[in-house]
PDB file of all heavy atoms in Angstrom:
ATOM      1  N   ALA E   1      17.811  14.192 -44.675  1.00  0.00           N
ATOM      2  CA  ALA E   1      19.062  13.868 -45.365  1.00  0.00           C
ATOM      3  C   ALA E   1      18.859  13.056 -46.637  1.00  0.00           C
ATOM      4  O   ALA E   1      19.676  13.114 -47.568  1.00  0.00           O
ATOM      5  CB  ALA E   1      20.011  13.122 -44.445  1.00  0.00           C
ATOM      6  N   LYS E   2      17.734  12.354 -46.676  1.00  0.00           N
ATOM      7  CA  LYS E   2      17.448  11.494 -47.839  1.00  0.00           C
ATOM      8  C   LYS E   2      16.249  11.979 -48.669  1.00  0.00           C
ATOM      9  O   LYS E   2      15.866  11.340 -49.596  1.00  0.00           O
ATOM     10  CB  LYS E   2      17.147  10.079 -47.393  1.00  0.00           C
ATOM     11  CG  LYS E   2      18.359   9.406 -46.753  1.00  0.00           C
ATOM     12  CD  LYS E   2      18.066   7.951 -46.418  1.00  0.00           C
ATOM     13  CE  LYS E   2      19.281   7.269 -45.773  1.00  0.00           C
ATOM     14  NZ  LYS E   2      20.433   7.248 -46.726  1.00  0.00           N
ATOM     15  N   ASN E   3      15.745  13.156 -48.312  1.00  0.00           N
ATOM     16  CA  ASN E   3      14.609  13.756 -49.037  1.00  0.00           C
ATOM     17  C   ASN E   3      13.450  12.732 -49.136  1.00  0.00           C
ATOM     18  O   ASN E   3      12.893  12.534 -50.215  1.00  0.00           O
ATOM     19  CB  ASN E   3      15.007  14.250 -50.421  1.00  0.00           C
ATOM     20  CG  ASN E   3      15.870  15.466 -50.371  1.00  0.00           C
ATOM     21  OD1 ASN E   3      16.200  15.999 -49.296  1.00  0.00           O
ATOM     22  ND2 ASN E   3      16.271  15.953 -51.538  1.00  0.00           N
ATOM     23  N   THR E   4      13.113  12.152 -48.015  1.00  0.00           N
ATOM     24  CA  THR E   4      12.116  11.094 -48.029  1.00  0.00           C
ATOM     25  C   THR E   4      11.148  11.269 -46.886  1.00  0.00           C
ATOM     26  O   THR E   4      11.555  11.643 -45.761  1.00  0.00           O
ATOM     27  CB  THR E   4      12.797   9.712 -47.931  1.00  0.00           C
ATOM     28  OG1 THR E   4      13.712   9.547 -48.980  1.00  0.00           O
ATOM     29  CG2 THR E   4      11.759   8.591 -47.993  1.00  0.00           C
ATOM     30  N   VAL E   5       9.876  11.007 -47.139  1.00  0.00           N
ATOM     31  CA  VAL E   5       8.847  11.038 -46.091  1.00  0.00           C
ATOM     32  C   VAL E   5       8.249   9.620 -46.034  1.00  0.00           C
ATOM     33  O   VAL E   5       8.132   8.945 -47.051  1.00  0.00           O
ATOM     34  CB  VAL E   5       7.798  12.123 -46.357  1.00  0.00           C
ATOM     35  CG1 VAL E   5       7.064  11.870 -47.678  1.00  0.00           C
ATOM     36  CG2 VAL E   5       6.831  12.222 -45.195  1.00  0.00           C
ATOM     37  N   PHE E   6       7.882   9.226 -44.826  1.00  0.00           N
ATOM     38  CA  PHE E   6       7.343   7.888 -44.586  1.00  0.00           C
ATOM     39  C   PHE E   6       5.978   7.969 -43.929  1.00  0.00           C
ATOM     40  O   PHE E   6       5.642   8.908 -43.240  1.00  0.00           O
ATOM     41  CB  PHE E   6       8.271   7.088 -43.663  1.00  0.00           C
ATOM     42  CG  PHE E   6       9.686   7.014 -44.122  1.00  0.00           C
ATOM     43  CD1 PHE E   6      10.645   7.917 -43.692  1.00  0.00           C
ATOM     44  CD2 PHE E   6      10.074   6.006 -45.001  1.00  0.00           C
ATOM     45  CE1 PHE E   6      11.963   7.815 -44.141  1.00  0.00           C
ATOM     46  CE2 PHE E   6      11.378   5.924 -45.449  1.00  0.00           C
ATOM     47  CZ  PHE E   6      12.330   6.833 -45.011  1.00  0.00           C
ATOM     48  N   LEU E   7       5.224   6.912 -44.168  1.00  0.00           N
ATOM     49  CA  LEU E   7       3.983   6.730 -43.399  1.00  0.00           C
ATOM     50  C   LEU E   7       3.975   5.275 -42.937  1.00  0.00           C
ATOM     51  O   LEU E   7       3.809   4.359 -43.735  1.00  0.00           O
ATOM     52  CB  LEU E   7       2.748   6.992 -44.264  1.00  0.00           C
ATOM     53  CG  LEU E   7       1.438   6.933 -43.509  1.00  0.00           C
ATOM     54  CD1 LEU E   7       1.304   8.045 -42.490  1.00  0.00           C
ATOM     55  CD2 LEU E   7       0.245   6.977 -44.468  1.00  0.00           C
ATOM     56  N   MET E   8       4.174   5.095 -41.626  1.00  0.00           N
ATOM     57  CA  MET E   8       4.119   3.764 -41.017  1.00  0.00           C
ATOM     58  C   MET E   8       2.679   3.520 -40.618  1.00  0.00           C
ATOM     59  O   MET E   8       2.114   4.307 -39.832  1.00  0.00           O
ATOM     60  CB  MET E   8       5.050   3.702 -39.830  1.00  0.00           C
ATOM     61  CG  MET E   8       5.110   2.302 -39.184  1.00  0.00           C
ATOM     62  SD  MET E   8       5.948   1.155 -40.287  1.00  0.00           S
ATOM     63  CE  MET E   8       4.945  -0.297 -40.037  1.00  0.00           C
ATOM     64  N   MET E   9       2.096   2.485 -41.115  1.00  0.00           N
ATOM     65  CA  MET E   9       0.707   2.153 -40.886  1.00  0.00           C
ATOM     66  C   MET E   9       0.596   0.843 -40.129  1.00  0.00           C
ATOM     67  O   MET E   9       0.993  -0.187 -40.678  1.00  0.00           O
ATOM     68  CB  MET E   9      -0.071   2.087 -42.210  1.00  0.00           C
ATOM     69  CG  MET E   9       0.031   3.358 -43.046  1.00  0.00           C
ATOM     70  SD  MET E   9      -0.964   3.289 -44.542  1.00  0.00           S
ATOM     71  CE  MET E   9      -0.152   1.967 -45.422  1.00  0.00           C
ATOM     72  N   ASN E  10       0.101   0.895 -38.951  1.00  0.00           N
ATOM     73  CA  ASN E  10      -0.100  -0.280 -38.100  1.00  0.00           C
ATOM     74  C   ASN E  10      -1.584  -0.539 -37.879  1.00  0.00           C
ATOM     75  O   ASN E  10      -2.407   0.363 -38.058  1.00  0.00           O
ATOM     76  CB  ASN E  10       0.587  -0.121 -36.761  1.00  0.00           C
ATOM     77  CG  ASN E  10       2.108  -0.009 -36.852  1.00  0.00           C
ATOM     78  OD1 ASN E  10       2.727  -0.761 -37.608  1.00  0.00           O
ATOM     79  ND2 ASN E  10       2.712   0.891 -36.090  1.00  0.00           N
ATOM     80  N   SER E  11      -1.882  -1.748 -37.456  1.00  0.00           N
ATOM     81  CA  SER E  11      -3.281  -2.106 -37.126  1.00  0.00           C
ATOM     82  C   SER E  11      -4.227  -1.723 -38.239  1.00  0.00           C
ATOM     83  O   SER E  11      -5.274  -1.101 -38.024  1.00  0.00           O
ATOM     84  CB  SER E  11      -3.688  -1.466 -35.806  1.00  0.00           C
ATOM     85  OG  SER E  11      -2.831  -1.871 -34.766  1.00  0.00           O
ATOM     86  N   LEU E  12      -3.862  -2.073 -39.451  1.00  0.00           N
ATOM     87  CA  LEU E  12      -4.682  -1.665 -40.609  1.00  0.00           C
ATOM     88  C   LEU E  12      -6.068  -2.265 -40.556  1.00  0.00           C
ATOM     89  O   LEU E  12      -6.280  -3.397 -40.158  1.00  0.00           O
ATOM     90  CB  LEU E  12      -3.965  -2.048 -41.887  1.00  0.00           C
ATOM     91  CG  LEU E  12      -2.786  -1.125 -42.254  1.00  0.00           C
ATOM     92  CD1 LEU E  12      -1.879  -1.802 -43.217  1.00  0.00           C
ATOM     93  CD2 LEU E  12      -3.332   0.183 -42.820  1.00  0.00           C
ATOM     94  N   LYS E  13      -7.018  -1.470 -41.029  1.00  0.00           N
ATOM     95  CA  LYS E  13      -8.418  -1.832 -41.081  1.00  0.00           C
ATOM     96  C   LYS E  13      -8.905  -1.844 -42.511  1.00  0.00           C
ATOM     97  O   LYS E  13      -8.313  -1.224 -43.375  1.00  0.00           O
ATOM     98  CB  LYS E  13      -9.274  -0.823 -40.271  1.00  0.00           C
ATOM     99  CG  LYS E  13      -8.845  -0.701 -38.812  1.00  0.00           C
ATOM    100  CD  LYS E  13      -9.662   0.362 -38.120  1.00  0.00           C
ATOM    101  CE  LYS E  13      -9.270   0.474 -36.660  1.00  0.00           C
ATOM    102  NZ  LYS E  13     -10.077   1.529 -35.977  1.00  0.00           N
ATOM    103  N   LEU E  14     -10.003  -2.551 -42.747  1.00  0.00           N
ATOM    104  CA  LEU E  14     -10.592  -2.595 -44.086  1.00  0.00           C
ATOM    105  C   LEU E  14     -10.824  -1.197 -44.659  1.00  0.00           C
ATOM    106  O   LEU E  14     -10.579  -0.981 -45.855  1.00  0.00           O
ATOM    107  CB  LEU E  14     -11.907  -3.376 -44.082  1.00  0.00           C
ATOM    108  CG  LEU E  14     -11.776  -4.871 -43.778  1.00  0.00           C
ATOM    109  CD1 LEU E  14     -13.164  -5.504 -43.759  1.00  0.00           C
ATOM    110  CD2 LEU E  14     -10.913  -5.589 -44.789  1.00  0.00           C
ATOM    111  N   GLU E  15     -11.247  -0.290 -43.834  1.00  0.00           N
ATOM    112  CA  GLU E  15     -11.572   1.048 -44.300  1.00  0.00           C
ATOM    113  C   GLU E  15     -10.334   1.891 -44.644  1.00  0.00           C
ATOM    114  O   GLU E  15     -10.456   3.034 -45.132  1.00  0.00           O
ATOM    115  CB  GLU E  15     -12.419   1.811 -43.281  1.00  0.00           C
ATOM    116  CG  GLU E  15     -11.886   1.843 -41.880  1.00  0.00           C
ATOM    117  CD  GLU E  15     -12.451   0.757 -40.982  1.00  0.00           C
ATOM    118  OE1 GLU E  15     -12.618  -0.401 -41.442  1.00  0.00           O
ATOM    119  OE2 GLU E  15     -12.738   1.058 -39.804  1.00  0.00           O
ATOM    120  N   ASP E  16      -9.150   1.374 -44.392  1.00  0.00           N
ATOM    121  CA  ASP E  16      -7.940   2.044 -44.792  1.00  0.00           C
ATOM    122  C   ASP E  16      -7.581   1.796 -46.254  1.00  0.00           C
ATOM    123  O   ASP E  16      -6.660   2.396 -46.803  1.00  0.00           O
ATOM    124  CB  ASP E  16      -6.738   1.607 -43.936  1.00  0.00           C
ATOM    125  CG  ASP E  16      -6.877   2.017 -42.505  1.00  0.00           C
ATOM    126  OD1 ASP E  16      -7.330   3.150 -42.222  1.00  0.00           O
ATOM    127  OD2 ASP E  16      -6.515   1.193 -41.618  1.00  0.00           O
ATOM    128  N   THR E  17      -8.319   0.880 -46.896  1.00  0.00           N
ATOM    129  CA  THR E  17      -8.100   0.603 -48.304  1.00  0.00           C
ATOM    130  C   THR E  17      -8.315   1.848 -49.140  1.00  0.00           C
ATOM    131  O   THR E  17      -9.372   2.465 -49.086  1.00  0.00           O
ATOM    132  CB  THR E  17      -9.017  -0.522 -48.789  1.00  0.00           C
ATOM    133  OG1 THR E  17      -8.696  -1.724 -48.095  1.00  0.00           O
ATOM    134  CG2 THR E  17      -8.866  -0.737 -50.282  1.00  0.00           C
ATOM    135  N   ALA E  18      -7.314   2.205 -49.939  1.00  0.00           N
ATOM    136  CA  ALA E  18      -7.344   3.429 -50.733  1.00  0.00           C
ATOM    137  C   ALA E  18      -6.070   3.527 -51.570  1.00  0.00           C
ATOM    138  O   ALA E  18      -5.108   2.791 -51.306  1.00  0.00           O
ATOM    139  CB  ALA E  18      -7.506   4.671 -49.858  1.00  0.00           C
ATOM    140  N   VAL E  19      -6.102   4.480 -52.472  1.00  0.00           N
ATOM    141  CA  VAL E  19      -4.871   4.906 -53.087  1.00  0.00           C
ATOM    142  C   VAL E  19      -4.279   6.007 -52.226  1.00  0.00           C
ATOM    143  O   VAL E  19      -4.982   6.972 -51.871  1.00  0.00           O
ATOM    144  CB  VAL E  19      -5.051   5.429 -54.527  1.00  0.00           C
ATOM    145  CG1 VAL E  19      -3.772   5.975 -55.090  1.00  0.00           C
ATOM    146  CG2 VAL E  19      -5.646   4.316 -55.407  1.00  0.00           C
ATOM    147  N   TYR E  20      -3.055   5.871 -51.843  1.00  0.00           N
ATOM    148  CA  TYR E  20      -2.378   6.842 -50.966  1.00  0.00           C
ATOM    149  C   TYR E  20      -1.448   7.711 -51.781  1.00  0.00           C
ATOM    150  O   TYR E  20      -0.645   7.197 -52.592  1.00  0.00           O
ATOM    151  CB  TYR E  20      -1.588   6.106 -49.881  1.00  0.00           C
ATOM    152  CG  TYR E  20      -2.466   5.559 -48.750  1.00  0.00           C
ATOM    153  CD1 TYR E  20      -3.315   4.497 -49.003  1.00  0.00           C
ATOM    154  CD2 TYR E  20      -2.491   6.176 -47.492  1.00  0.00           C
ATOM    155  CE1 TYR E  20      -4.173   4.037 -47.995  1.00  0.00           C
ATOM    156  CE2 TYR E  20      -3.318   5.700 -46.511  1.00  0.00           C
ATOM    157  CZ  TYR E  20      -4.156   4.645 -46.757  1.00  0.00           C
ATOM    158  OH  TYR E  20      -4.974   4.159 -45.761  1.00  0.00           O
ATOM    159  N   TYR E  21      -1.555   8.994 -51.571  1.00  0.00           N
ATOM    160  CA  TYR E  21      -0.787  10.001 -52.305  1.00  0.00           C
ATOM    161  C   TYR E  21       0.133  10.750 -51.385  1.00  0.00           C
ATOM    162  O   TYR E  21      -0.298  11.237 -50.330  1.00  0.00           O
ATOM    163  CB  TYR E  21      -1.701  10.995 -52.989  1.00  0.00           C
ATOM    164  CG  TYR E  21      -2.600  10.402 -54.049  1.00  0.00           C
ATOM    165  CD1 TYR E  21      -3.868   9.907 -53.697  1.00  0.00           C
ATOM    166  CD2 TYR E  21      -2.208  10.295 -55.367  1.00  0.00           C
ATOM    167  CE1 TYR E  21      -4.701   9.366 -54.663  1.00  0.00           C
ATOM    168  CE2 TYR E  21      -3.032   9.765 -56.321  1.00  0.00           C
ATOM    169  CZ  TYR E  21      -4.279   9.301 -55.979  1.00  0.00           C
ATOM    170  OH  TYR E  21      -5.106   8.762 -56.921  1.00  0.00           O
ATOM    171  N   CYS E  22       1.353  10.932 -51.794  1.00  0.00           N
ATOM    172  CA  CYS E  22       2.302  11.795 -51.135  1.00  0.00           C
ATOM    173  C   CYS E  22       2.235  13.170 -51.719  1.00  0.00           C
ATOM    174  O   CYS E  22       2.019  13.340 -52.955  1.00  0.00           O
ATOM    175  CB  CYS E  22       3.706  11.213 -51.310  1.00  0.00           C
ATOM    176  SG  CYS E  22       5.064  12.201 -50.632  1.00  0.00           S
ATOM    177  N   ALA E  23       2.352  14.192 -50.909  1.00  0.00           N
ATOM    178  CA  ALA E  23       2.231  15.583 -51.371  1.00  0.00           C
ATOM    179  C   ALA E  23       3.210  16.516 -50.622  1.00  0.00           C
ATOM    180  O   ALA E  23       3.497  16.279 -49.469  1.00  0.00           O
ATOM    181  CB  ALA E  23       0.822  16.097 -51.202  1.00  0.00           C
ATOM    182  N   ALA E  24       3.636  17.545 -51.333  1.00  0.00           N
ATOM    183  CA  ALA E  24       4.514  18.559 -50.762  1.00  0.00           C
ATOM    184  C   ALA E  24       3.768  19.875 -50.751  1.00  0.00           C
ATOM    185  O   ALA E  24       3.125  20.259 -51.737  1.00  0.00           O
ATOM    186  CB  ALA E  24       5.820  18.690 -51.524  1.00  0.00           C
ATOM    187  N   SER E  25       3.879  20.601 -49.644  1.00  0.00           N
ATOM    188  CA  SER E  25       3.185  21.854 -49.518  1.00  0.00           C
ATOM    189  C   SER E  25       3.879  22.956 -50.314  1.00  0.00           C
ATOM    190  O   SER E  25       4.974  22.742 -50.849  1.00  0.00           O
ATOM    191  CB  SER E  25       3.150  22.299 -48.037  1.00  0.00           C
ATOM    192  OG  SER E  25       4.416  22.748 -47.631  1.00  0.00           O
ATOM    193  N   ALA E  26       3.251  24.116 -50.367  1.00  0.00           N
ATOM    194  CA  ALA E  26       3.938  25.304 -50.846  1.00  0.00           C
ATOM    195  C   ALA E  26       5.150  25.566 -49.920  1.00  0.00           C
ATOM    196  O   ALA E  26       5.152  25.083 -48.787  1.00  0.00           O
ATOM    197  CB  ALA E  26       2.987  26.508 -50.819  1.00  0.00           C
ATOM    198  N   PRO E  27       6.140  26.282 -50.406  1.00  0.00           N
ATOM    199  CA  PRO E  27       7.308  26.538 -49.591  1.00  0.00           C
ATOM    200  C   PRO E  27       6.958  27.151 -48.216  1.00  0.00           C
ATOM    201  O   PRO E  27       6.114  28.058 -48.177  1.00  0.00           O
ATOM    202  CB  PRO E  27       8.153  27.528 -50.412  1.00  0.00           C
ATOM    203  CG  PRO E  27       7.773  27.193 -51.837  1.00  0.00           C
ATOM    204  CD  PRO E  27       6.320  26.849 -51.767  1.00  0.00           C
ATOM    205  N   LEU E  28       7.560  26.630 -47.223  1.00  0.00           N
ATOM    206  CA  LEU E  28       7.338  27.076 -45.822  1.00  0.00           C
ATOM    207  C   LEU E  28       5.925  26.890 -45.353  1.00  0.00           C
ATOM    208  O   LEU E  28       5.465  27.536 -44.411  1.00  0.00           O
ATOM    209  CB  LEU E  28       7.773  28.527 -45.619  1.00  0.00           C
ATOM    210  CG  LEU E  28       9.180  28.877 -46.122  1.00  0.00           C
ATOM    211  CD1 LEU E  28       9.517  30.330 -45.790  1.00  0.00           C
ATOM    212  CD2 LEU E  28      10.229  27.945 -45.493  1.00  0.00           C
ATOM    213  N   GLY E  29       5.202  26.006 -45.994  1.00  0.00           N
ATOM    214  CA  GLY E  29       3.838  25.752 -45.637  1.00  0.00           C
ATOM    215  C   GLY E  29       3.638  24.351 -45.080  1.00  0.00           C
ATOM    216  O   GLY E  29       4.513  23.512 -45.030  1.00  0.00           O
ATOM    217  N   SER E  30       2.408  24.110 -44.649  1.00  0.00           N
ATOM    218  CA  SER E  30       1.975  22.816 -44.206  1.00  0.00           C
ATOM    219  C   SER E  30       0.465  22.930 -44.040  1.00  0.00           C
ATOM    220  O   SER E  30      -0.137  23.946 -44.322  1.00  0.00           O
ATOM    221  CB  SER E  30       2.639  22.415 -42.871  1.00  0.00           C
ATOM    222  OG  SER E  30       2.330  23.339 -41.839  1.00  0.00           O
ATOM    223  N   GLY E  31      -0.158  21.873 -43.559  1.00  0.00           N
ATOM    224  CA  GLY E  31      -1.598  21.965 -43.320  1.00  0.00           C
ATOM    225  C   GLY E  31      -2.294  20.640 -43.558  1.00  0.00           C
ATOM    226  O   GLY E  31      -1.665  19.622 -43.790  1.00  0.00           O
TER     227      GLY E  31
END
């Protein structure tokens, strides 16, 4: 309804440090 995707990240570790990118698949796709 809000055209929004979330990523809830718990118990974060040092190795989770990164630039995080949101992406949309081709229509009717995923993967």
Side-chain angles (χ1 to χ4, degrees):
K2 297 185 179 297
N3 289 0
T4 303
V5 62
F6 304 94
L7 185 67
M8 185 69 219
M9 304 184 294
N10 296 317
S11 301
L12 283 161
K13 302 176 179 180
L14 294 177
E15 54 263 42
D16 295 319
T17 295
V19 177
Y20 283 71
Y21 297 90
C22 177
S25 76
L28 307 184
S30 61

